[in-house]
Amino acid sequence: FRKIENQKLAYVTKLNGVVVSLGGGTLIAQQNQKQVLKKGVLVYLRWTPDALIENLKKIKKRPLLKNIQKDVFERLFLERAEGYAQAQIV
């Protein structure tokens, strides 16, 4: 999955005038961070882990988050935070 995600990101960063909504883990890979920051503007819509959990519970098509424990979710959140800390707009 991540390999395909990286390939698609490489493709869309060659386009002009587009807005791309990234998956939560896209910026874990430093190559993805570099591509986004070099080719565009990274906007981070910041939420607290608690607010995210409550909102994402409503979405049925998120198998990773189905019945996820709060401590596991918070660990995922922190793993991804470094990439989003690079955002030019928060």
Side-chain angles (χ1 to χ4, degrees):
F1 168 77
R2 293 290 179 209
K3 183 179 178 180
I4 294 168
E5 181 178 60
N6 297 348
Q7 292 169 346
K8 296 296 183 185
L9 182 61
Y11 170 76
V12 297
T13 56
K14 294 176 185 173
L15 303 175
N16 292 316
V18 297
V19 175
V20 179
S21 175
L22 301 175
T26 304
L27 297 179
I28 291 173
Q30 289 214 350
Q31 70 188 37
N32 290 348
Q33 289 178 33
K34 289 177 184 175
Q35 283 183 26
V36 170
L37 295 170
K38 181 179 178 183
K39 301 290 185 168
V41 175
L42 179 59
V43 177
Y44 174 29
L45 303 177
R46 184 170 47 198
W47 291 44
T48 65
D50 288 337
L52 278 170
I53 288 171
E54 288 306 310
N55 192 47
L56 293 170
K57 281 181 183 177
K58 300 172 190 172
I59 302 171
K60 304 297 183 203
K61 296 181 180 181
R62 302 297 299 254
L64 177 63
L65 300 174
K66 186 177 182 181
N67 301 321
I68 193 167
Q69 299 295 317
K70 184 177 178 182
D71 61 324
V72 174
F73 182 83
E74 286 176 347
R75 188 175 68 238
L76 280 172
F77 186 86
L78 291 174
E79 286 173 3
R80 297 167 176 193
E82 182 181 333
Y84 287 95
Q86 308 298 314
Q88 293 102 326
I89 300 172
V90 178

